[in-house]
Amino acid sequence: MEYEVVIGCEVHVELKTKTKIFCSCPTDFGGEPNTHVCPVCLGLPGTLPVLNKKVLEYAIKAGLAMNCEIAHFSKFDRKNYFYPDLTKAYQISQFDLPICKNGYIDIETSEGKKKIGITRIHMEEDAGKLVHQGATITTSAGSLADYNRAGVPLIEIVSEPDMRSAEDVLAFLTNLKAIIEYTGVSDARMEQGSLRCDVNLSLRPAGQKEFGTRAEIKNLNSFRAVERVIKYEIDRQTDILESGGKVVQETRTWDDGKGMTFSLRSKEDSDEYRYFPDPDLTPIIVTDAYIEELRASLPELPQVKRARMIEEDGLPEYDAGVITASKALADFYDGVRAHYDDAKKISNWIMVELLAKVNAEGMELEAVKIQPEQMAALLKLVDSGDISGKIAKKVFAEMFATGKDPADIIKEQGLVQISDEDALKEMVSHVVEANPKSVEDYKAGKTKAMGFLVGQIMKQSRGQANPAVINKLLAEKLDSM
Amino acid sequence: MNKIVIDDMFLTTDMPTTAGSKMLEGYTSLFEAEVLTRLKAADYVIAGKTKVGEFGADLLGETCYFGAEYEGETLQYPAAAAVKSGDAKAAVVMDVNGAPRRGAAQNGLVSLKPTYGRVSRYGTIPVACSGETVGVIANNAADCRDVFTAMAGYDSKDGTSLPESMTEQGKAAVTKKNKVVVLSSMLKGTDEAVQGRIAAVTDQFTKNGIEVVVADADVVAYAGAAWNILMSAELCNNVSRYDGVKYGYRTKNYTNIDELYTNSRTEAFGEFLKSAILFGSETLSTENYKKVYDKALRVRRVIRDNMAALLADCDALLMPAASALAYSRTLVEGDKYLPYKENFFTAPASITGLPAVIAGGVQLVGNAFSEDLLLDLAELV
């Protein structure tokens, strides 16, 4: 039978506030275990939470950037469950009155454009982290608890079950990540856990309206894992349905090494969270004036920036899509563009040279040493003929490694392109004299010999000769013979 | 000398805080309750701690792990006993479930349960956060007023603490009407001694030119039922943090995390607390939330509106603080639901956050921010 895949996502994003959601401990990632803690985030008896106003601001900004309605009246609730990483045995979260709801994110895939609905965005506190001793959780002799992360502010973004393929999900996550980065509310780094994704996936016979039974796969921390999980779950659920079985509603975990999902708990066991309004936190009242103030403070968002690059700068859609998917890349582009006019050339250098190096090094774009002004200067040096495109790549590699100015690198390494005709004439004569066989071939009509001679001259100039000038001088020389 | 005692619900760094539970036996806090810091700054000397029932949630301290206090065969609230005996000028108490008010009433002492939010709860063991307040028991209204003044005021560490501007505004809105309303619906189930106190206080007010009228307000009589639901749910949730993992009692008998939780709690919590936990947990279940917990929240709003309407043209609602002025050992030990039943009288102030004063064995519930006016009335009793 033909099945349709139905996917919804729950994405947890750690907000980039300086301090935690209900106390003044730092939110910095890393740090010795249990050094970013105080009685409040440790949930010691007698402590009380006081809301960090920045968290509300960031949650609203994220909601506005995802086209959500912002609730004028919202509240915090306590979600009860026992787990050693949870200091109070309840998590302060939002249950029935989230701060944002009914939004959407635009995506574009090989199937075309569509909107992925955002059901809700709510604020909550993160839990601590358990470090299990031993190889796996089942064989662990014990666990250590690190509460540095306890109380770090999160927003949970819940999508509608609007996605139908892994491609949809990746496009959704890419755009979501970009929007979050642009608004500046989070670093949204999956590998550091500041963006975590749960996938809800079910199958239904093609054409059927009702949803099938879904499995929820928790805590995926890379785009690659998301893609693999979706492929794996489609196969797993298809096999079950094909063999006449029933998919169980449950929470599953992804084993990246084995490339498989495993049942963690059935949904019936865990659904009883006994939510109730947190009496220690007064309801959150948000005025229209505040919402509008935040809306006005939003930066240009990826979709708008992308459209601007296509329309005003004339970039191909593909280039604009790649560059705007990352705020760092888009900022770099804008920075170069402010000093240099040829948008397509900038885009080529970013897409080919810069991304190749960044990917090869496996580094963050934020860590790139080259400043946009330096990149613009390099492009200008090529345009003016001071260096060849080939040398420019060499200079670029050095800029990437050291962050030095291109002019300094050229000076230090003597890489200036030789365009001086007198100097080059000498080289041309020299090469022509040393290769009589090639000259003969050329005269006999074998034009290929011309290329060989140019190569020899370039070699002698250690790549610094201006190829255009050489071509001209060599042609003159050969024709005069 | 300004010698005071404090309920064992306030966190102290120089002595343990147990909340009357084996769970917190020997637990010493890393920080001090905000009210204690303020009281010390106002030259009050903390002479010691008074025992409370487990997590302060019972009738008069009878569920305390370290032993209940009886005077002869009459159950006695330790904080009230300390004031009555002259050991301390005043007791700073935690009014979770009305125990301090009952204790003051049966001893003829004066007690103040302030407007919710006027005294910081930072550093008090949390039990029923939405209604519990720090209170005072003293021999007279003047001492109550002094202690309250030293403790009250905005605290940025408590998100429910009322800003000074709001307090000033609230106090300015309180006007003296020289009228007190007796709620006849609240006299249900009271004994002769209590009814006698109501009559005596009524006389006293009338003599002093205060008009006393009788009104029926059946809705206020539902406060106890609603409060028992809200209080139990919050209690259940607030004591969940005592799981044997980080501090407090830990069982020796466990092989995995679930046994650690279950056995630590089974061994350390008393029967009354366990029943409250189970009841509270039930009220919050998916099945019961709408028809029990959520309904109690709605009832709370209706009661608040009703009491505000009643208080619009009077200074206080006069009602008993308890069904009796003495509880015998036989009664207490024979009826495990007694604390829930007696909440009938104390819940109206707890569930609405309105201030209440105990004087002459009766209770006066007033408008928000009317502590001064209530204490003025107490002086006439």
Side-chain angles (χ1 to χ4, degrees):
Chain A
M1 197 190 290
E2 196 64 31
Y3 293 104
E4 186 183 33
V5 191
V6 176
I7 308 171
C9 287
E10 286 167 28
V11 181
H12 286 90
V13 175
E14 258 180 20
L15 299 179
K16 207 167 63 178
T17 53
K18 283 198 185 70
T19 57
K20 291 184 180 181
I21 183 166
F22 300 122
C23 66
S24 51
C25 288
T27 53
D28 306 341
F29 181 75
E32 287 293 301
N34 298 312
T35 51
H36 299 165
V37 294
C38 74
V40 176
C41 55
L42 284 175
L44 294 181
T47 55
L48 294 166
V50 178
L51 178 64
N52 177 349
K53 297 278 183 334
K54 267 282 182 228
V55 174
L56 179 63
E57 179 192 321
Y58 282 6
I60 294 175
K61 274 185 163 178
L64 290 171
M66 294 178 200
N67 309 294
C68 288
E69 296 162 18
I70 308 301
H72 291 97
F73 182 91
S74 161
K75 66 177 169 66
F76 281 104
D77 299 279
R78 296 182 178 180
K79 178 182 181 179
N80 291 281
Y81 63 95
F82 287 99
Y83 205 62
D85 66 1
L86 195 61
T87 57
K88 305 180 292 295
Y90 64 84
Q91 180 194 27
I92 303 178
S93 180
Q94 294 194 283
F95 183 48
D96 55 342
L97 295 173
I99 186 69
C100 316
K101 57 181 183 181
N102 300 336
Y104 63 86
I105 289 180
D106 288 308
I107 64 165
E108 192 173 352
T109 64
S110 54
E111 305 279 309
K113 293 182 182 183
K114 71 171 173 179
K115 289 189 193 315
I116 305 299
I118 300 291
T119 316
R120 56 182 282 163
I121 301 177
H122 69 252
M123 302 175 276
E124 61 186 24
E125 57 179 344
D126 207 345
K129 213 167 70 182
L130 292 185
V131 184
H132 303 297
Q133 307 297 292
T136 67
I137 187 164
T138 42
T139 60
S140 177
S143 304
L144 299 174
D146 176 6
Y147 295 110
N148 281 353
R149 204 178 65 182
V152 166
L154 295 177
I155 48 173
E156 181 177 332
I157 303 161
V158 182
S159 88
E160 290 288 309
D162 287 345
M163 289 164 273
R164 298 288 175 268
S165 65
E167 192 192 2
D168 276 359
V169 176
L170 291 183
F172 170 74
L173 288 176
T174 304
N175 288 6
L176 181 147
K177 181 176 151 73
I179 290 169
I180 291 291
E181 276 184 18
Y182 277 54
T183 52
V185 305
S186 171
D187 292 331
R189 293 189 188 166
M190 277 189 122
E191 65 286 356
Q192 287 190 1
S194 59
L195 190 151
R196 306 192 285 271
C197 182
D198 303 344
V199 167
N200 285 298
L201 188 146
S202 64
L203 300 182
R204 63 179 169 191
Q208 181 183 302
K209 241 184 139 187
E210 298 78 41
F211 292 132
T213 308
R214 66 170 197 266
E216 179 180 12
I217 304 96
K218 281 214 146 327
N219 272 329
L220 303 170
N221 56 9
S222 73
F223 280 52
R224 173 106 185 92
V226 170
E227 196 176 5
R228 291 176 69 199
V229 155
I230 292 170
K231 295 214 163 93
Y232 178 85
E233 270 300 305
I234 291 173
D235 289 347
R236 187 185 71 87
Q237 294 188 20
T238 304
D239 285 350
I240 292 173
L241 295 173
E242 295 278 272
S243 60
K246 274 189 175 152
V247 175
V248 184
Q249 186 175 339
E250 62 185 352
T251 301
R252 298 179 71 84
T253 179
W254 169 248
D255 185 322
D256 212 62
K258 291 203 174 77
M260 294 168 80
T261 63
F262 292 94
S263 179
L264 211 57
R265 55 179 181 261
S266 93
K267 207 65 184 169
E268 291 83 61
D269 300 342
S270 62
D271 238 347
E272 195 56 277
Y273 286 124
R274 293 178 293 140
Y275 280 101
F276 76 103
D278 193 322
D280 285 337
L281 290 157
T282 46
I284 306 151
I285 314 284
V286 177
T287 62
D288 279 326
Y290 184 58
I291 296 171
E292 291 317 310
E293 185 191 319
L294 292 181
R295 198 193 301 277
S297 77
L298 284 179
E300 186 182 44
L301 293 169
Q303 293 293 327
V304 181
K305 195 172 274 241
R306 189 167 165 272
R308 178 173 59 78
M309 284 182 187
I310 295 166
E311 280 158 30
E312 293 178 19
D313 291 358
L315 285 188
E317 284 196 15
Y318 178 75
D319 290 27
V322 171
I323 292 172
T324 53
S326 150
K327 180 172 191 297
L329 215 51
D331 285 348
F332 187 78
Y333 170 88
D334 280 344
V336 183
R337 186 73 180 74
H339 300 277
Y340 186 75
D341 281 336
D342 191 335
K344 181 62 184 149
K345 267 191 194 158
I346 301 173
S347 157
N348 285 347
W349 274 88
I350 288 178
M351 308 259 299
V352 182
E353 299 301 325
L354 183 65
L355 285 182
K357 283 241 180 293
V358 166
N359 292 337
E361 302 268 327
M363 63 192 285
E364 296 287 339
L365 280 160
E366 286 79 5
V368 168
K369 288 180 185 148
I370 301 173
Q371 297 303 308
E373 301 78 32
Q374 295 176 319
M375 189 67 219
L378 178 70
L379 295 179
K380 283 179 190 163
L381 286 167
V382 178
D383 286 354
S384 65
D386 286 335
I387 54 171
S388 66
K390 200 171 167 190
I391 290 177
K393 286 179 186 176
K394 226 167 146 180
V395 175
F396 179 84
E398 187 65 16
M399 289 164 71
F400 188 85
T402 62
K404 283 184 186 166
D405 277 338
D408 293 342
I409 295 167
I410 290 164
K411 209 181 282 169
E412 278 169 25
Q413 305 197 0
L415 293 173
V416 182
Q417 177 162 265
I418 306 164
S419 305
D420 176 37
E421 293 202 5
D422 288 336
L424 291 178
K425 260 182 196 160
E426 215 170 289
M427 271 186 229
V428 170
S429 302
H430 191 75
V431 169
V432 166
E433 275 160 32
N435 296 284
K437 176 82 176 66
S438 297
V439 175
E440 224 169 86
D441 288 348
Y442 177 77
K443 288 282 180 195
K446 290 183 182 167
T447 45
K448 259 191 187 166
M450 174 87 171
F452 173 77
L453 291 170
V454 170
Q456 288 304 109
I457 298 163
M458 288 305 288
K459 199 172 165 187
Q460 203 169 61
S461 74
R462 296 200 316 260
Q464 285 171 260
N466 183 331
V469 179
I470 297 226
N471 273 324
K472 180 179 146 256
L473 292 177
L474 184 63
E476 281 172 14
K477 176 82 183 169
L478 292 172
D479 289 345
S480 72
M481 281 168 77
Chain B
M1 175 133 121
N2 286 329
K3 201 164 84 176
I4 55 169
V5 289
I6 57 173
D7 266 351
D8 196 11
M9 296 288 284
F10 296 94
L11 294 170
T12 42
T13 51
D14 55 354
M15 49 185 155
T17 304
T18 71
S21 179
K22 179 181 180 181
M23 182 54 91
L24 285 175
E25 188 173 9
Y27 176 77
T28 301
S29 175
L30 296 169
F31 62 99
E32 180 178 78
E34 173 68 15
V35 287
L36 303 184
T37 309
R38 292 186 185 204
L39 287 164
K40 285 177 184 172
D43 286 334
Y44 283 93
V45 175
I46 296 160
K49 283 187 158 176
T50 43
K51 289 193 287 190
V52 293
E54 196 169 15
F55 289 93
D58 64 0
L59 191 68
L60 285 170
E62 71 280 8
T63 63
C64 182
Y65 173 66
F66 308 97
E69 219 162 280
Y70 282 91
E71 255 180 35
E73 283 304 296
T74 302
L75 182 62
Q76 184 58 277
Y77 190 58
V83 174
K84 193 185 173 195
S85 69
D87 286 346
K89 184 179 169 182
V92 174
V93 292
M94 199 61 205
D95 195 320
V96 176
N97 225 359
R101 274 178 277 163
R102 285 186 283 271
Q106 76 174 24
N107 288 296
L109 299 168
V110 178
S111 175
L112 168 66
K113 182 203 91 71
T115 308
Y116 183 82
R118 285 204 68 184
V119 181
S120 171
R121 288 184 296 120
Y122 193 83
T124 66
I125 299 282
V127 182
C129 307
S130 74
E132 67 196 5
T133 56
V134 176
V136 196
I137 299 176
N139 284 297
N140 53 58
D143 288 349
C144 254
R145 206 188 302 262
D146 286 348
V147 174
F148 171 63
T149 307
M151 303 193 293
Y154 176 69
D155 176 13
S156 62
K157 298 188 292 305
D158 178 353
T160 60
S161 176
L162 298 166
E164 294 303 338
S165 59
M166 243 171 117
T167 300
E168 288 314 311
Q169 227 178 335
K171 281 165 78 174
V174 175
T175 53
K176 198 174 175 193
K177 310 212 171 54
N178 282 319
K179 184 176 163 188
V180 166
V181 172
V182 178
L183 288 187
S184 57
S185 47
M186 296 304 293
L187 296 172
K188 233 183 290 169
T190 52
D191 68 9
E192 277 179 20
V194 171
Q195 287 164 19
R197 291 312 314 157
I198 296 280
V201 171
T202 303
D203 277 355
Q204 204 62 25
F205 282 157
T206 314
K207 262 184 224 160
N208 283 282
I210 293 167
E211 184 192 356
V212 181
V213 297
V214 177
D216 239 335
D218 286 343
V219 73
V220 181
Y222 288 99
W227 174 245
N228 281 332
I229 291 165
L230 301 178
M231 175 274 295
S232 304
E234 292 175 23
L235 176 148
C236 164
N237 158 271
N238 276 314
V239 302
S240 290
R241 77 184 73 209
Y242 310 108
D243 56 11
V245 173
K246 296 186 296 296
Y247 50 82
Y249 179 83
R250 178 186 284 202
T251 180
K252 289 186 176 63
N253 173 30
Y254 68 95
T255 56
N256 59 45
I257 186 72
D258 288 331
E259 286 176 14
L260 169 62
Y261 289 153
T262 309
N263 296 345
S264 296
R265 293 165 66 82
T266 302
E267 291 163 26
F269 287 149
E271 290 309 310
F272 176 73
L273 199 78
K274 282 177 189 163
S275 71
I277 291 170
L278 290 176
F279 176 56
S281 177
E282 271 306 295
T283 67
L284 293 174
S285 68
T286 310
E287 199 196 333
N288 292 322
Y289 186 87
K290 274 276 168 221
K291 62 183 184 207
V292 181
Y293 187 85
D294 193 56
K295 189 172 272 180
L297 284 180
R298 288 164 200 271
V299 170
R300 166 182 253 168
R301 280 196 288 277
V302 173
I303 292 171
R304 197 177 276 157
D305 292 348
N306 261 269
M307 289 180 71
L310 286 164
L311 283 162
D313 68 340
C314 72
D315 295 327
L317 304 175
L318 176 57
M319 62 180 90
S323 66
L325 293 178
Y327 300 95
S328 72
R329 188 190 291 267
T330 335
L331 180 66
V332 172
E333 290 175 358
D335 186 356
K336 58 185 171 185
Y337 297 116
L338 201 53
Y340 293 104
K341 290 178 186 164
E342 289 296 289
N343 271 343
F344 177 79
F345 304 98
T346 50
S350 301
I351 204 169
T352 54
L354 294 174
V357 158
I358 302 296
V362 304
Q363 179 173 218
L364 295 160
V365 178
N367 281 298
F369 305 101
S370 71
E371 287 85 355
D372 278 329
L373 184 51
L374 290 177
L375 289 168
D376 289 345
L377 288 172
E379 276 168 6
L380 304 176
V381 173

